[in-house]
């Protein structure tokens, strides 16, 4: 984060896309939520990987989550459903071993841990969650319960 002076006193932070800080929108927020991840859990070197991008779409049959996780094996990724209908997707990419003779010119690929949580709606069948990994894309499918249409019964009107 970059610090710039504020016209209203003190300092304020602005987003710096080249910074290695992990930006936490709820940092110093008076109410903490059970879904927020503690800042100490990740180090600065993992900042680029901690914010794994995940799409969530809803179809008539299911909720579908897709995460781009290039270079990860399925053994390095965990998909869990926690109490309270929370889907948690986490993983870790290890840093490559460095040889003493190696001379690095550039190191842009990130390593480290990531963790994302999503509160699932009431219509999610959490006991039937399926996950698959293909070509670095994790797909998690959470089937939905069928919405029962209310039965309409015609009532005869007497005179």
């Amino acid at each position: 984060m970059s610090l710039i002076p504020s016209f209203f006193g003190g300092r304020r932070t602005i987003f710096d896309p080249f910074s290695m800080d992990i930006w936490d929108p709820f940092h110093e927020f008076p109410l903490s939520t059970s879904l927020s991840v503690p800042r100490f859990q990740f180090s600065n070197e993992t900042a680029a990987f901690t914010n794994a991008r995940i799409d969530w779409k809803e179809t008539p049959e299911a909720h579908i989550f897709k995460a781009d996780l290039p270079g990860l094996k399925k053994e390095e990724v965990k998909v869990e459903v926690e109490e309270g209908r929370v889907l948690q997707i986490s993983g870790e990419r290890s840093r490559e071993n460095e040889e003493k003779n190696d001379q690095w010119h550039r190191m842009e690929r990130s390593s480290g841990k990531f963790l994302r949580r999503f509160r699932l709606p009431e219509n999610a069948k959490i006991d039937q969650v399926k996950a698959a990994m293909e070509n670095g894309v994790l797909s998690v499918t959470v089937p939905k319960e069928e919405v029962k249409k209310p039965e309409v019964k015609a009532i005869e009107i007497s005179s």
Side-chain angles (χ1 to χ4, degrees), residues 113-136:
K113 298 179 182 182
F114 73 92
L115 171 72
R116 297 292 307 273
R117 290 180 172 167
F118 302 91
R119 182 158 318 271
L120 297 171
E122 292 294 321
N123 67 351
K125 293 181 178 178
I126 59 174
D127 56 332
Q128 296 179 14
V129 176
K130 291 187 169 54
M133 186 107 158
E134 187 176 335
N135 296 328

Side-chain angles (χ1 to χ4, degrees), residues 32-48:
S32 80
T33 66
S34 63
L35 297 180
S36 61
V37 178
R39 286 181 64 82
F40 61 84
Q41 197 166 358
F42 302 111
S43 66
N44 283 347
E45 68 188 28
T46 65

Side-chain angles (χ1 to χ4, degrees), residues 29-132:
F29 193 69
L31 303 173
S32 80
T33 66
S34 63
L35 297 180
S36 61
V37 178
R39 286 181 64 82
F40 61 84
Q41 197 166 358
F42 302 111
S43 66
N44 283 347
E45 68 188 28
T46 65
F49 193 57
T50 58
N51 195 12
R53 304 285 186 207
I54 298 178
D55 296 336
W56 175 2
K57 76 174 179 180
E58 182 176 355
T59 67
E61 299 81 31
H63 295 275
I64 300 171
F65 297 83
K66 291 201 180 240
D68 288 336
L69 304 172
L72 285 182
K73 300 178 191 116
K74 69 179 185 178
E75 296 81 19
E76 298 170 317
V77 178
K78 268 196 329 192
V79 178
E80 303 169 306
V81 177
E82 298 179 336
E83 279 186 50
R85 308 178 79 80
V86 176
L87 175 69
Q88 178 173 298
I89 300 172
S90 61
E92 182 172 3
R93 178 180 292 145
S94 303
R95 192 178 260 224
E96 285 188 24
N97 293 333
E98 294 183 27
E99 299 291 329
K100 285 191 174 188
N101 319 5
D102 293 346
Q103 179 182 357
W104 289 86
H105 294 281
R106 194 156 191 84
M107 193 169 196
E108 294 182 340
R109 295 180 342 162
S110 54
S111 62
K113 298 179 182 182
F114 73 92
L115 171 72
R116 297 292 307 273
R117 290 180 172 167
F118 302 91
R119 182 158 318 271
L120 297 171
E122 292 294 321
N123 67 351
K125 293 181 178 178
I126 59 174
D127 56 332
Q128 296 179 14
V129 176
K130 291 187 169 54

